[in-house]
Amino acid sequence: MAGWGAFVAALLIFLLSHAIPARPAVRGRLIGLMGRGPYFAVYSALSLAVLAWLIVAAANAPYVEAIPPLAILRWVPLLVMPVVCWLAVAGLAATNPFSFGGLGRRPFNPEQPGILRTTRHPILLAMMLWALAHLLANGSLAHVVLFGLFAGFAWMGMALIDRRKAREMGADWPHLSRNTARLSLRLPRPWPRPWVWLVAALAYVALLHLHAPVIGVPPLP
């Protein structure tokens, strides 16, 4: 029972730590008291600490089978994670006025939206695919709840951010977003530059090597 108690407590703190600061009045007051830079630094550190606690609590929760531990499901993260790494790196490298993560410095060209032609939210899509892949490979009830929560957050985040950005951009939204999509099967135009593919491949290799010593579970079936 202690294991479930720790997991439920970590889950509630995780939800509250994201729900309360997301309220505009609360966030505005905290930024006013702390300053924008210190607020985001403290919030990021707190979020990472709570996330680490939640992951550890899920690993220590009593095992209750929710998805049968089929050997073939262990291959799902290995096949999905290259796509996750590519989306994450391409999303960080892009100029993205529609979502977070875009660190590109070139002006956004609505005629050549790049990865945003496939999704306006490459970081959130990467998170959703990562969560769903690991949900299938870790079929205990605690992990299904954990990864299902992450996937649900990512999916809802896409809709919420689109709604907010459309409101903020006003009349500019239809023009700027006309060649983008929340989620589609259209290929990026233009393709991300070659270094994006290289960094994504290196990130995947690093994750394979670090998974066992950091997470404690070997990634290979």
Side-chain angles (χ1 to χ4, degrees):
M1 195 65 189
W4 281 116
F7 176 69
V8 171
L11 184 62
L12 289 175
I13 295 298
F14 178 84
L15 293 173
L16 290 174
S17 67
H18 286 75
I20 295 176
R23 299 180 64 84
V26 176
R27 183 174 57 191
R29 184 171 180 81
L30 290 174
I31 291 176
L33 290 172
M34 303 171 61
R36 188 174 184 84
Y39 165 76
F40 282 107
V42 171
Y43 180 69
S44 298
L46 178 62
S47 297
L48 289 174
V50 174
L51 176 60
W53 178 29
L54 180 58
I55 292 173
V56 171
N60 293 328
Y63 180 81
V64 176
E65 183 179 300
I67 298 176
L70 302 177
I72 193 172
L73 296 180
R74 293 288 305 277
W75 287 95
V76 175
L78 288 172
L79 298 176
V80 172
M81 286 305 295
V83 179
V84 169
C85 292
W86 181 79
L87 282 169
V89 176
L92 288 172
T95 300
N96 189 352
F98 306 109
S99 189
F100 62 87
L103 302 177
R105 296 187 178 183
R106 296 181 178 182
F108 175 71
N109 181 0
E111 299 299 330
Q112 299 286 325
I115 187 64
L116 307 191
R117 190 169 186 260
T118 304
T119 174
R120 286 188 290 269
H121 310 282
I123 303 298
L124 288 176
L125 179 57
M127 177 181 174
M128 186 173 73
L129 292 176
W130 164 80
L132 292 175
H134 284 75
L135 183 153
L136 293 175
N138 300 273
S140 71
L141 178 59
H143 283 101
V144 167
V145 172
L146 173 67
F147 291 119
L149 177 69
F150 290 154
F153 266 3
W155 179 253
M156 290 188 298
M158 295 181 192
L160 293 174
I161 293 174
D162 274 354
R163 189 182 307 168
R164 188 181 77 230
K165 289 295 183 178
R167 184 172 61 249
E168 292 174 355
M169 292 182 178
D172 291 332
W173 170 265
H175 167 70
L176 292 175
S177 66
R178 66 184 183 276
N179 290 321
T180 68
R182 181 180 300 171
L183 184 61
S184 76
L185 296 177
R186 296 183 299 174
L187 297 177
R189 191 178 62 194
W191 280 94
R193 286 164 286 177
W195 70 263
V196 171
W197 298 82
L198 176 60
V199 173
L202 293 175
Y204 179 64
V205 172
L207 288 174
L208 284 179
H209 282 81
L210 294 174
H211 200 280
V214 174
I215 306 298
V217 179
L220 298 177

